[in-house]
Amino acid sequence: MSARVFAVVVAHNGARALADTLASLRRQTRPVPVIVVDTASTDDSVAVARAGGVDYLVRTGEDTPFGAAVDAAVTAVLPDLAADDWLWLLHDDSSPEPDALAELVAEQERSPSALVLGPKLVVAGQPETIDEFGLTMTPRGERISPAAGELDQAQFDTQSDVLAVGTAGMLVQGGLWRRLGGLDRSLAFSDDGLDFGVRARLAGARVVTVPRARVRHGRLSERGTAQQARTRRPSYRDVRWAQLYRRLGYATRGQAMLLWLLLPLLALGRSVAHLFEKRPGLIGGEWAATLSILGDAGLVRAHRRAIRDTTIAPWSTLEPLLVSAGSVSRLRAGQREEALFSEPDQEVEDPAPFWTTKAPLVALALWGLDALLWWRLIAVGAVSGGEARPLPDDWWAAIGDLFAGHRIGALDATLATDPTAMVWTLLSTLTFWHPSSIVVILMLTALPLAFMAGWHALRTLTGSARVRTVGGLLWALQPVLLQALAEGAVDTVLLHLTLPLAVGGLLGVLDRHAGRQRRLGRAAATGLWLAVVSACSPVAWLLAVVVALVMAVWRAPVRRTLWAMLLPSVALWVAPVRDAAVTGDWAGLLVVGDGLRQRGADDVLQAVLPGVTGDLWRTLVPALADRPTLTTLLALGSGALLVVLALLGLLSARWRRALVGVGVFAAATVAALAVLAVPVASRATGGLALDVTGLVDLGALGLVVAASATSGAVHGGRVLSAVLVVAVGTVGAVPGAVALLGHGAVAPVDAAAPALVTAEERAEPGARVLDIVVNADGSLDATVVPARLYGTMQARHRQVDAARTRDVGREATETVVANLVSFSGYEPDEALADLGVRFVLLRGADSTVDVQDTVSVLDANAALEPAGTSDAGRLWRTDRTASAEAAGGVWWAPALGLVALLFFGLLALPIARDRDGEGASAALTLLDGDDRS
């Protein structure tokens, strides 16, 4: 080749590597003049260039792209660049071997139609590893470097024609460079060479690789060794923007228009895929690239126009050089297989999988016991009693109600859906055809589900199936659970099932054998369980968060994934925090159901000795009713048994596990006693204390963990395990089981609301029900509930249950009720209409309360029309049309919670394999880009 060749080296803060590059150029067997373009380096790059004896030095601004830097060199040094002159493009960290240029020129002389030639780039310091040898892309525009990361065994030396080559070491004809306008300045450093190769192919030129021409490529900036380097590794946002930019540029007009319209939907689908792959950090970059390309229509049009003006070859000539979807799938399969053998932190196989042990038989036996205790609920569609209530029959309407504001209770304010009601509504999705069945199923399967949850909590602590089984049984037979079942405290039952899952997930994050993506998935699952815990017991959630924060200080895996554990709960609680700001009742955030009223020593005993009180023993043995001292001693003994066994674990070989369990128990107990000792001031009712059931349950879980250490470490552990289970079952669970059989609060129910209320609500929605409850002492409790929610889980709200806010709405309600139940000639028409009340329902606090006197008063009121008796109580209908319930603009608060739960639900799905191994296929690493958005 008699034409001139000029080496153009673009440098930015790469002084040390630049010296090696210039030295390699001086050693070339085919001499070449060198032009160095410095893009405002802050190091000694300019001095190194001058000391290296370069022929020309050009200086440009700091933000000059690679293509613009080359153009600056051509303009400043080669204004007369001829069509048959050649440019040899080099980075400051690309050092060619002595015969590299000679080999490139020789190949061009053999193939005159080859106007773009690329060397074999090898990793600097590891010349046996290929860094890059030709580029291609998928039909969707994703960049792929097929040879990247492969050992150089000449397996790629037979290839010649490729779609494109990288800019490091590219030899390009001057005439083609001018005709195509150089590199596209809009593209990131990683894609400008690919785009140039595509445009060169469409312009009729060949692009070839030359295996005998080798260049050592440092990629120092991508490895973080060049400060403020211009050639930084592109973020995912850069990579994705370049993909969309090129795809829109190469597509036909119709395809481009359709793709443009579908870009938001495409970004949404890819965001879900990123969640499945446990790479949520890419979602921000995905949307940033999508929104940016939507706003860069001018750049896309200019790119399409430039391609159209220079294209002479059909796109079909490029299709054989593209990578098919099948090839990409094979590359990904190879990447996953390689990760299995190369990643150092793959999860160790569980020595005792659940289904290969006797645990399923234990779960089956517990299910039989559960069915025996709740035989009257078999084939029942809905239940009521205690905190248990039916769910709305129309599941889709219930989902819609989550986003609606409600005037629940007497508060003159529009409230968002309570987190507890939201959790139950979402759970009803499992039985969407009959939502109330989820509560029945929970009651019928609580024991085996609790056993499996306890098993899961111990999974990461021990590999012994026996110890896991004992721990699961202890958890399933906890009096807290059985007492909650007997009292219909379904929130406590749900808490008991989810608390060990949250703890087990947190321990799984600490597993040193788990990879980054697996840890992230476990952290997201832990966050979901903690969100449920926060809805059921805010106080227990606060303590769990404190534990997680303490662990985050000492353990890096928890620290890195703490955001995934906390954000679901934070998003779920946006709505109640908003409600507390509206009502001014911040303490009401910590109230669930009716709270726990301070009644003396039994409550303290309940906190110190989990779930065991004298009430259970008095239920088991009626003769103990007149012997409080003996009853207290029995309760102390039965509750202390598990504590003693937990303390014995401190003397065993597994004392660390026992210490953690005892520490959790101690922290939960201290917190429970502190909460009980501080009554919450009430402007409306007074005497209400915060619910500490969650803290009691958390303390019980700590005792189970500590007791399992004793069971697994003490000689004769099998016998001890059997004795432990029998003892706890006898002295703790049996009283609860007897209470269930004889005095369970939950009973079957046909409908949540009276039939007349349901029928009229369907015909004319928006009315409310004035619910009046007569207490045993003759006092009255009254609240106002939307008719469509009456008697359901969604009618519960912590701000209403707390009953501490005294506002205009509450005063109006109290005035109306006081006048209604007295012979005063009061005409309530306008007041009831203002409250939106269409129905008045009267019921006793329990079956022993006589409400006949109050019924007589209400019957005598001319404004009320008797509507009969139902399971819910006596019903009256007003004779005036009530005003519709005020609509509330609070949809955004529950919507934020639901979006967060969906986000972390997808992130928690265990369907992605880790791709963190050093041996993972490098061919696809640039397809994804850096994890930075």
Side-chain angles (χ1 to χ4, degrees):
M1 179 189 292
S2 58
R4 298 180 300 173
V5 179
F6 299 91
V8 182
V9 182
V10 180
H12 184 84
N13 289 339
R16 182 163 43 182
L18 180 61
D20 295 336
T21 299
L22 296 179
S24 298
L25 289 174
R26 290 195 299 268
R27 291 193 296 267
Q28 290 298 303
T29 57
R30 190 188 195 282
V32 58
V34 179
I35 307 171
V36 172
V37 183
D38 180 74
T39 56
S41 298
T42 57
D43 62 359
D44 297 330
S45 296
V46 173
V48 170
R50 288 171 176 164
V54 301
D55 297 277
Y56 305 97
L57 177 62
V58 179
R59 305 184 72 173
T60 66
E62 181 179 3
D63 296 328
T64 305
F66 186 85
V70 176
D71 287 337
V74 172
T75 301
V77 180
L78 305 171
D80 59 344
L81 182 69
D84 59 347
D85 289 339
W86 294 80
L87 298 175
W88 192 21
L89 311 183
L90 293 165
H91 302 171
D92 52 13
D93 57 356
S94 52
S95 302
E97 294 187 356
D99 58 348
L101 180 58
E103 292 292 346
L104 290 171
V105 171
E107 178 63 27
Q108 201 283 325
E109 290 175 343
R110 289 191 293 270
S111 305
S113 60
L115 303 185
V116 180
L117 302 95
K120 178 185 291 185
L121 298 182
V122 296
V123 178
Q126 300 178 18
E128 71 282 358
T129 304
I130 300 175
D131 184 68
E132 185 179 280
F133 193 44
L135 297 173
T136 184
M137 66 180 183
T138 69
R140 296 182 299 179
E142 296 169 323
R143 178 182 185 270
I144 293 181
S145 178
E150 299 287 340
L151 290 177
D152 186 8
Q153 299 174 331
Q155 70 271 38
F156 297 100
D157 289 1
T158 57
Q159 77 176 17
S160 177
D161 283 76
V162 293
L163 182 65
V165 295
T167 53
M170 175 193 291
L171 182 66
V172 57
Q173 187 196 55
L176 180 65
W177 180 269
R178 286 193 181 279
R179 181 152 49 106
L180 296 181
L183 300 176
D184 192 322
R185 301 185 184 187
S186 299
L187 288 172
F189 180 80
S190 62
D191 271 2
D192 46 9
L194 175 60
D195 175 73
F196 187 82
V198 171
R199 291 189 286 127
R201 282 280 180 183
L202 292 174
R206 288 180 61 206
V207 181
V208 301
T209 53
V210 184
R212 293 174 62 86
R214 295 167 59 89
V215 175
R216 297 187 303 277
H217 195 202
R219 293 191 186 270
L220 297 180
S221 59
E222 295 187 11
R223 292 176 170 79
T225 57
Q227 297 297 323
Q228 299 177 345
R230 181 194 57 78
T231 57
R232 64 174 177 84
R233 182 175 182 179
S235 67
Y236 179 77
R237 186 260 183 205
D238 299 329
V239 172
R240 183 59 182 157
W241 187 93
Q243 291 172 4
L244 295 174
Y245 177 79
R246 289 185 290 100
R247 190 175 179 185
L248 288 168
Y250 303 152
T252 64
R253 181 186 296 270
Q255 291 173 341
M257 291 181 62
L258 180 61
L259 177 60
W260 191 273
L261 295 174
L262 294 178
L263 280 178
L265 292 178
L266 185 62
L268 180 61
R270 290 177 64 90
S271 297
V272 174
H274 294 322
L275 289 177
F276 284 153
E277 295 173 355
K278 307 296 179 288
R279 307 181 75 183
L282 302 185
I283 294 178
E286 185 73 45
W287 283 99
T290 299
L291 297 177
S292 178
I293 202 69
L294 287 173
D296 292 334
L299 291 177
V300 174
R301 285 196 297 267
H303 187 221
R304 292 178 58 83
R305 186 163 50 248
I307 294 175
R308 184 182 65 246
D309 293 343
T310 59
T311 296
I312 61 174
W315 181 263
S316 58
T317 60
L318 275 65
E319 290 179 351
L321 302 174
L322 300 178
V323 175
S324 65
S327 298
V328 173
S329 299
R330 286 191 292 273
L331 282 171
R332 292 198 184 278
Q335 183 185 58
R336 291 191 294 268
E337 182 179 358
E338 193 173 353
L340 287 175
F341 297 97
S342 63
E343 188 176 291
D345 56 351
Q346 285 294 313
E347 188 175 21
V348 176
E349 184 179 357
D350 187 0
F354 181 85
W355 298 107
T356 62
T357 65
K358 297 179 180 179
L361 297 177
V362 177
L364 183 62
L366 288 172
W367 179 81
L369 175 61
D370 211 341
L372 178 63
L373 296 175
W374 287 110
W375 60 269
R376 61 187 180 278
L377 300 185
I378 298 176
V380 168
V383 294
S384 181
E387 294 177 4
R389 302 180 186 179
L391 288 157
D393 293 333
D394 189 338
W395 173 81
W396 184 248
I399 293 295
D401 281 336
L402 294 180
F403 302 97
H406 307 291
R407 288 179 60 195
I408 301 178
L411 301 178
D412 189 19
T414 300
L415 303 178
T417 302
D418 190 79
T420 308
M422 180 182 294
V423 167
W424 282 107
T425 302
L426 294 179
L427 284 177
S428 70
T429 304
L430 299 175
T431 58
F432 63 90
W433 60 92
H434 193 278
S436 297
S437 296
I438 190 64
V439 182
V440 180
I441 293 174
L442 181 71
M443 304 293 282
L444 290 172
T445 59
L447 294 182
L449 290 179
F451 168 74
M452 290 187 284
W455 170 285
H456 174 76
L458 295 174
R459 182 177 180 273
T460 55
L461 293 177
T462 177
S464 171
R466 173 175 55 82
V467 174
R468 295 181 189 178
T469 302
V470 171
L473 275 171
L474 291 177
W475 187 247
L477 297 177
Q478 279 298 308
V480 174
L481 175 61
L482 290 170
Q483 188 172 358
L485 289 171
E487 296 175 352
V490 289
D491 293 341
T492 301
V493 174
L494 189 58
L495 171 69
H496 195 81
L497 298 181
T498 54
L499 190 59
L501 297 177
V503 172
L506 179 60
L507 295 175
V509 172
L510 294 174
D511 185 2
R512 61 186 179 87
H513 299 293
R516 177 173 60 92
Q517 290 171 307
R518 186 174 289 109
R519 282 197 185 101
L520 184 58
R522 289 175 177 174
T526 302
L528 292 175
W529 297 127
L530 283 176
V532 178
V533 170
S534 72
C536 297
S537 178
V539 178
W541 177 80
L542 288 174
L543 181 59
V545 169
V546 171
V547 173
L549 291 175
V550 172
M551 296 178 67
V553 173
W554 301 102
R555 302 300 296 271
V558 177
R559 188 163 55 249
R560 287 193 292 265
T561 58
L562 188 63
W563 63 274
M565 297 186 223
L566 299 184
L567 284 184
S569 302
V570 172
L572 188 66
W573 276 78
V574 169
V577 168
R578 177 263 174 200
D579 291 343
V582 170
T583 63
D585 187 9
W586 293 98
L589 292 173
L590 303 181
V591 173
V592 177
D594 295 327
L596 179 66
R597 298 184 182 275
Q598 295 179 341
R599 296 300 182 190
D602 271 354
D603 288 321
V604 179
L605 183 63
Q606 173 89 2
V608 177
L609 302 176
V612 181
T613 65
D615 291 339
L616 288 177
W617 281 100
R618 283 188 286 270
T619 301
L620 177 64
V621 184
L624 295 176
D626 299 328
R627 300 183 179 182
T629 302
L630 180 58
T631 304
T632 302
L633 290 176
L634 286 173
L636 284 171
S638 59
L641 176 62
L642 192 58
V643 178
V644 171
L645 291 172
L647 293 176
L648 287 177
L650 297 175
L651 305 177
S652 68
R654 295 181 174 88
W655 62 271
R656 291 182 180 86
R657 186 199 310 167
L659 181 62
V660 172
V662 172
V664 171
F665 167 71
T669 300
V670 171
L673 292 173
V675 170
L676 285 177
V678 182
V680 179
S682 170
R683 288 182 290 173
T685 58
L688 187 68
L690 302 181
D691 185 9
V692 298
T693 306
L695 294 174
V696 172
D697 218 21
L698 185 60
L701 182 60
L703 289 181
V704 168
V705 171
S708 68
T710 305
S711 172
V714 177
H715 181 68
R718 294 181 183 275
V719 176
L720 178 61
S721 299
V723 172
L724 180 61
V725 172
V726 171
V728 172
T730 301
V731 302
V734 168
V738 171
L740 272 175
L741 288 172
H743 304 281
V746 177
V749 66
D750 294 329
L756 179 61
V757 174
T758 302
E760 292 210 13
E761 176 63 19
R762 290 176 180 173
E764 189 178 351
R768 308 173 80 198
V769 177
L770 176 59
D771 186 21
I772 304 175
V773 179
V774 181
N775 298 315
D777 58 0
S779 62
L780 301 176
D781 290 331
T783 188
V784 184
V785 182
R788 69 179 182 276
L789 303 182
Y790 182 81
T792 67
M793 289 283 194
Q794 286 191 341
R796 298 168 52 196
H797 201 287
R798 66 191 67 240
Q799 290 291 335
V800 176
D801 293 336
R804 284 187 300 277
T805 302
R806 191 176 192 88
D807 62 359
V808 177
R810 181 173 299 282
E811 293 175 354
T813 303
E814 292 176 352
T815 301
V816 170
V817 173
N819 288 312
L820 276 177
V821 298
S822 62
F823 290 102
S824 60
Y826 174 67
E827 296 182 1
D829 301 47
E830 292 185 5
L832 292 177
D834 291 340
L835 291 174
V837 172
R838 186 180 299 163
F839 297 97
V840 176
L841 191 142
L842 178 71
R843 56 191 174 92
D846 55 55
S847 58
T848 64
V849 176
D850 184 11
V851 299
Q852 189 57 45
D853 292 341
T854 309
V855 170
S856 300
V857 176
L858 295 178
D859 281 339
N861 195 310
L864 302 180
E865 177 186 347
T869 303
S870 67
D871 292 338
R874 295 292 295 268
L875 186 68
W876 289 264
R877 188 182 187 281
T878 62
D879 59 0
R880 293 184 58 177
T881 302
S883 58
E885 179 190 356
V890 296
W891 60 268
W892 57 269
L896 180 61
L898 287 178
V899 169
L901 293 179
L902 177 61
F903 177 92
F904 287 98
L906 295 176
L907 187 60
L909 291 177
I911 62 175
R913 253 184 215 283
D914 287 302
R915 295 191 290 177
D916 302 334
E918 292 294 332
S921 175
L924 294 174
T925 54
L926 290 182
L927 183 147
D928 292 327
D930 197 346
D931 275 357
R932 295 174 292 114
S933 294

